[in-house]
Amino acid sequence: GAGVSQSPSNKVTEKGKDVELRCDPISGHTALYWYRQSLGQGLEFLIYFQGNSAPDKSGLPSDRFSAERTGGSVSTLTIQRTQQEDSAVYLCASTSRTGTEAFFGQGTRLTVV
Amino acid sequence: AQKITQTQPGMFVQEKEAVTLDCTYDTSDPSYGLFWYKQPSSGEMIFLIYQGSYDQQNATEGRYSLNFQKARKSANLVISASQLGDSAMYFCAMREVIASGGSYIPTFGRGTSLIVHP
């Protein structure tokens, strides 16, 4: 596609439910990142995929968070048993193997009530 | 320790004037890249400018320029001739070359809120 696409754009969920957030990167981009941005804060790195290599999960805050990337393209971030502190905007970005800047999607605003 | 430090939580500038947004970074990697992104109230992250650690010249992109002082580990963004549409959050980011597998994970600062007054 023309840009990084994320869905849904907004998600309201009840505490304790599981949610799935989707990211469709720019076609041909091998690297994909997930970040979390809490209100008024900077971007917190969550997980990084590069081609077929094992993902870098060092930023995931707990074992309730997981992500996968199927076929080297679309990625899904799953949050199990959501908590109120998970409320944030979840941003996905992609870049080419030798690219400089990361291109960001519009984000998914998650609200846990 | 913070890898990217933006010490100005908020900045104000008069329309048509220039403004400098500060960014300092911390890395022991000789090869790295520095980025600035703009995030308007709509939330999207817009790439503005990039500086590689080996680049001899300071990067420029239209009204944006990067004042790169490698010895001081600073990469300040200069916006010339500010416009009302420049009002937004501005994030400085750094990408290092991480030895294991050659991955590139941009690390972001906390951001600076810029308000341009008419």
Side-chain angles (χ1 to χ4, degrees):
Chain A
V4 178
S5 177
Q6 290 188 247
S7 60
S9 53
N10 281 284
K11 176 73 175 178
V12 180
T13 190
E14 292 181 354
K15 179 181 171 180
K17 301 274 185 163
D18 298 352
V19 295
E20 285 189 351
L21 312 180
R22 176 190 167 104
C23 173
D24 196 347
I26 292 173
S27 178
H29 278 192
T30 56
L32 186 149
Y33 312 84
W34 282 98
Y35 289 87
R36 177 169 71 175
Q37 186 177 27
S38 301
L39 187 63
Q41 300 296 312
L43 276 67
E44 174 190 6
F45 165 72
L46 297 177
I47 188 168
Y48 163 73
F49 296 89
Q50 173 59 273
N52 295 320
S53 302
D56 182 333
K57 304 178 182 180
S58 60
L60 294 179
S62 77
D63 59 7
R64 296 186 296 105
F65 288 72
S66 63
E68 63 177 19
R69 189 178 184 192
T70 52
S73 180
V74 172
S75 176
T76 302
L77 177 69
T78 301
I79 308 173
Q80 295 178 310
R81 305 181 301 283
T82 51
Q83 303 295 313
Q84 288 186 327
E85 60 263 29
D86 299 335
S87 296
V89 175
Y90 289 81
L91 290 161
C92 175
S94 71
T95 188
S96 63
R97 185 66 176 94
T98 56
T100 53
E101 74 270 27
F103 293 86
F104 281 83
Q106 295 277 53
T108 293
R109 183 176 297 278
L110 176 67
T111 304
V112 182
V113 297
Chain B
Q2 288 279 343
K3 287 198 170 185
I4 294 286
T5 302
Q6 294 181 252
T7 57
Q8 307 153 314
M11 289 285 286
F12 297 86
V13 66
Q14 198 78 24
E15 192 179 9
K16 299 180 185 175
E17 293 187 348
V19 63
T20 298
L21 306 184
D22 294 342
C23 173
T24 57
Y25 60 92
D26 182 26
T27 182
S28 56
D29 194 325
S31 178
Y32 54 89
L34 296 155
F35 307 78
W36 278 91
Y37 283 84
K38 172 184 178 182
Q39 188 179 43
S41 56
S42 54
E44 74 264 37
M45 293 286 285
I46 302 167
F47 166 74
L48 295 178
I49 196 166
Y50 168 81
Q51 178 87 42
S53 58
Y54 293 119
D55 293 342
Q56 297 295 319
Q57 304 272 4
N58 283 350
T60 60
E61 288 287 348
R63 295 187 297 111
Y64 304 107
S65 60
L66 204 152
N67 183 2
F68 182 45
Q69 298 187 38
K70 196 169 182 177
R72 301 176 73 173
K73 293 189 175 179
S74 76
N76 298 339
L77 177 70
V78 180
I79 305 174
S80 62
S82 299
Q83 301 172 358
L84 296 179
D86 293 336
S87 295
M89 283 291 291
Y90 288 81
F91 291 96
C92 179
M94 175 175 66
R95 184 201 68 202
E96 299 164 291
V97 177
I98 298 176
S100 58
S103 63
Y104 305 79
I105 301 176
T107 303
F108 287 78
R110 291 181 177 269
T112 295
S113 174
L114 175 67
I115 297 176
V116 180
H117 287 301

